[in-house]
Amino acid sequence: MVIGNANYRSQRKLGNSVNDAEDMAKKLEDFGFEVILQTDSTYLEMNESLVEFGTLLEKNDVGMFFFAGHGLQVKGSNYLLGVDTEAANETQVKFTSLPLDAVVEEMESSEASTKIIALDACRNNPWKFSAGRDATARGLASVYAPEGTIIGFATSPGQTADDGSGRNGAYTEALLQHIGAEDYPVEMMFKRVRNTVAATTAGKQTTWEHTSLGGEFYFNLGINSIVDEYNESALADSLLELDSAKPSHEIIRGLKSYNWYVQNPALEKLDNVTVKKMGPNNLFVLGRNIYQAACGSSGEARGFIADFFKRTEEFPAKRRKALLDGMLFEIFFDPKGKLRPHIKAGYFNEVFDLQKHAIFKSSFEFIATTLQTARADYPTIPGSGHSLDVTVSSKKKKAGYLIDGVFIGGRNMLHIPEDDIDEIDGINPTSRTNCERLSDKLSEQLAVPLRLLNVTYAPAEIGEDDKLLIPRGWGILPN
C-alpha cells in the first residue's frame, strides 16, 4: 500500500510527496509487488484502502506500507494526515487521519511473515494545530514493531524531514536509490539509506528503524542467490575464463567464434566420450553457447537442438540435464545473469517442445522456479506447462483486418509507441501479417510456447488466409 499526499487543503502543500508515492509504486511493481496506490487522499480514502490492503495481505507472504506526506504525534501516538485532515485540535487530528497503529495492527493480524513500513513523514514546516505546542512533540513518536516487522522512519523521534529540492524527498530518494541493491537484506538496505540521507542533508536528518524481523528479506535477489545448482561463472558466463586443457572449454571457445566454419566442427566434438569428462557447470555454459550459436545460424547447433533427444540419448542423465538447463537459461538471461528485457526467441519453441518428454521434467521445473524467484514478468511462467488464452480484436478495413487489441484476462495488452504515429496523417503505419505469423510473434512476446498458446479472433470470421494489419512497433505491455 503506497500513499503520497501533497496538496493539503489548510496547510502548506508539499512539493514531492505524490512523486515519492508514484516512484515507489513503480519500483515495487518492478519487484513483483501488487500495489495499491493512493495520491492526495482524504482520510476516509486512506482508511478504506487500508481495508483493501488487509485483504491483499491475506494472500501474500510479504506486505509493505509506504507513506509520504504530513504526519504527527498526539500524546505518543502517530497519525498520517489526509489532505482534508482537520487540525484545529488534537481530537480532530485523531478522528480525521489514518492512525499508524491501525496500519501496524492490520499487518500484525495478517498471515504475512514479513511486514515492512516506511514513513517519509514529518516534512519540514510541520503541521501546527495549537499555539505554543511543545517542540518535543514535533515529528513522529517511537513505535512498537510486532514480530516479523520492520518500521523505517525518515527521521529520528522528534525530528522533522527534508522535503527535498528535486523530484523526491531526501528519504524517498535514498530509498529508491538503495532498495534495488542486489543481495542486500532489508535491514542493511535501511542502513545504506541512513548514510545517504545523512550525506544529502549535511547530517541534519537521521533516519530511524524499529525491527523485529526473524529472518532476512531481499527486495532484489541476485541470480547467484536464486540458483544454487550452478556456480557464478556459469550463471554469469561472461565471467568464465576459458581453459584450453578442458574439452568443454575448447568446444565453448569454438562456439563463441561467431564463425560457422569453426562453430560446426567444434560442436561435432561433443559425444558420449567427451561429455563424461565434463562437469555440470561447464555443460551448463556449453548449453548456453549451443543455443547462442543456433541463434547465430550455426547449422550444427541448430541440428543439435532439433535432434536434442536423440543426440543426447546416451549421455548420463545429470549431464544431459545440465546441457538443457543451460539452453533454457540462455533464452531468458544475459551473459551477466540478468533477465533479458526480451527473450532470445530464435529457437524458443524448438527447445520448449522438449517439455513433452517426461525425462526432461526437472529442467523445465528448474527454469520455471528460477524465473518465478527472479520475478520474471510474464502472463504465465515459462516451464510451468500452463496454457494461455489470448483474444485478438480487430476492425475490418478495405486492406484487411486492423488489429486494435490483444486481450489477456480481460485486459488489452497491446502497446503501440506514440512516436510511431505519422506526423502528417496522424495515424499509425501498419505492417501486413497473417494468423500464423502473428501467433509466432505473440509466442515470442509472451514467452509462451505455440503449443500452449490459444489464440482466438474477434470477429470470429477471421480465417488463416485473411490479411491482418498491425501497427508498426507494436509490443505487449508488462503483465
Side-chain angles (χ1 to χ4, degrees):
M1 182 173 173
V2 175
I3 300 174
N5 289 339
N7 294 309
Y8 286 91
R9 297 173 186 174
S10 58
Q11 290 290 328
R12 174 179 173 271
K13 296 180 180 181
L14 295 172
N16 301 315
S17 299
V18 169
N19 295 340
D20 292 341
E22 291 175 345
D23 293 350
M24 184 59 67
K26 176 63 170 62
K27 181 70 74 171
L28 293 174
E29 285 173 345
D30 289 345
F31 292 138
F33 280 81
E34 187 174 347
V35 178
I36 301 167
L37 172 63
Q38 289 276 0
T39 57
D40 285 334
S41 303
T42 65
Y43 72 91
L44 285 175
E45 289 171 337
M46 292 196 300
N47 280 274
E48 288 169 359
S49 289
L50 184 61
V51 176
E52 182 185 355
F53 182 50
T55 302
L56 198 60
L57 283 170
E58 293 307 318
K59 60 178 183 178
N60 287 280
D61 191 49
V62 178
M64 180 168 177
F65 177 89
F66 173 86
F67 177 83
H70 279 306
L72 53 77
Q73 59 169 297
V74 175
K75 295 179 180 176
S77 293
N78 297 310
Y79 297 89
L80 309 177
L81 309 185
V83 293
D84 62 341
T85 293
E86 298 292 340
N89 55 60
E90 294 180 353
T91 301
Q92 284 186 338
V93 170
K94 289 180 180 180
F95 290 100
T96 62
S97 61
L98 176 63
L100 179 58
D101 286 346
V103 176
V104 174
E105 289 169 8
E106 189 70 53
M107 298 182 82
E108 182 181 16
S109 65
S110 76
E111 294 299 317
S113 59
T114 300
K115 282 88 73 172
I116 304 164
I117 298 174
L119 304 169
D120 196 351
C122 315
R123 300 301 181 93
N124 50 336
N125 192 25
W127 203 289
K128 299 177 183 178
F129 54 81
S130 61
R133 186 172 172 224
D134 185 358
T136 61
R138 298 171 68 198
L140 294 183
S142 180
V143 64
Y144 163 71
E147 183 180 356
T149 304
I150 184 167
I151 305 176
F153 296 87
T155 64
S156 300
Q159 293 184 341
T160 57
D162 188 348
D163 194 34
S165 57
R167 176 175 172 81
N168 301 112
Y171 184 63
T172 300
E173 183 177 46
L175 271 175
L176 292 169
Q177 179 182 349
H178 296 299
I179 198 169
E182 195 171 279
D183 291 331
Y184 241 72
V186 64
E187 289 163 309
M188 293 294 292
M189 183 274 293
F190 274 115
K191 288 181 179 180
R192 277 191 170 188
V193 169
R194 176 156 47 254
N195 198 47
T196 297
V197 170
T200 57
T201 63
K204 295 177 182 177
Q205 184 174 330
T206 304
T207 67
W208 193 265
E209 296 87 43
H210 292 293
T211 181
S212 63
L213 289 179
E216 291 186 339
F217 172 76
Y218 304 80
F219 282 98
N220 183 19
L221 276 176
I223 194 65
N224 296 316
S225 299
I226 293 171
V227 179
D228 56 12
E229 281 186 68
Y230 303 103
N231 64 23
E232 184 179 9
S233 62
L235 299 170
D237 65 339
S238 61
L239 301 175
L240 182 69
E241 296 182 5
L242 294 173
D243 182 350
S244 299
K246 296 180 178 179
S248 57
H249 284 208
E250 275 301 288
I251 299 174
I252 291 168
R253 188 190 304 277
L255 292 172
K256 286 182 177 293
S257 70
Y258 301 104
N259 182 332
W260 301 339
Y261 296 103
V262 177
Q263 291 174 324
N264 293 339
L267 188 51
E268 288 171 359
K269 296 176 183 176
L270 183 63
D271 55 28
N272 298 338
V273 177
T274 57
V275 79
K276 291 176 182 177
K277 300 176 182 178
M278 302 176 186
N281 287 299
N282 288 330
L283 283 164
F284 183 87
V285 177
L286 182 53
R288 296 190 66 172
N289 281 273
I290 290 170
Y291 188 86
Q292 169 69 43
C295 292
S297 298
S298 162
E300 182 66 19
R302 287 185 298 173
F304 187 89
I305 291 175
D307 202 26
F308 184 86
F309 187 86
K310 289 186 177 179
R311 287 280 293 267
T312 64
E313 201 166 16
E314 296 183 16
F315 291 5
K318 289 184 179 180
R319 288 167 169 77
R320 197 182 195 190
K321 177 184 183 300
L323 271 173
L324 182 51
D325 286 357
M327 288 163 53
L328 287 164
F329 193 83
E330 181 67 18
I331 293 172
F332 301 99
F333 293 88
D334 69 15
K336 294 182 179 179
K338 305 291 186 184
L339 271 169
R340 299 182 187 277
H342 304 288
I343 70 169
K344 185 181 285 189
Y347 287 84
F348 168 70
N349 273 288
E350 287 81 354
V351 172
F352 269 78
D353 274 347
L354 294 169
Q355 193 171 10
K356 293 182 289 187
H357 300 285
I359 196 170
F360 298 134
K361 180 181 177 182
S362 60
S363 284
F364 289 94
E365 288 176 344
F366 159 77
I367 198 61
T369 301
T370 301
L371 290 170
Q372 191 166 25
T373 310
R375 303 187 182 99
D377 192 17
Y378 302 113
T380 183
I381 294 295
S384 64
H386 297 154
S387 61
L388 184 70
D389 295 322
V390 176
T391 299
V392 177
S393 65
S394 63
K395 292 182 174 67
K396 192 170 184 178
K397 303 290 183 180
K398 287 183 179 180
Y401 290 90
L402 177 63
I403 295 170
D404 58 10
V406 175
F407 287 83
I408 300 171
R411 179 186 171 200
N412 188 0
M413 307 288 282
L414 180 66
H415 172 66
I416 304 166
E418 290 183 5
D419 58 4
D420 271 7
I421 296 177
D422 188 285
E423 294 182 6
I424 298 175
D425 296 327
I427 61 172
N428 289 95
T430 59
S431 299
R432 288 190 178 187
T433 187
N434 57 34
C435 294
E436 182 180 359
R437 291 202 300 270
L438 181 60
S439 291
D440 287 341
K441 292 302 293 183
L442 287 172
S443 173
E444 294 175 9
Q445 293 258 349
L446 297 167
V448 178
L450 278 169
R451 62 188 178 82
L452 297 175
L453 184 64
N454 305 316
V455 182
T456 56
Y457 289 87
E461 65 194 41
I462 294 176
E464 290 295 324
D465 296 327
D466 283 312
K467 293 178 181 177
L468 304 179
L469 305 172
I470 191 161
R472 292 179 188 172
W474 71 278
I476 298 295
L477 291 168
N479 186 36

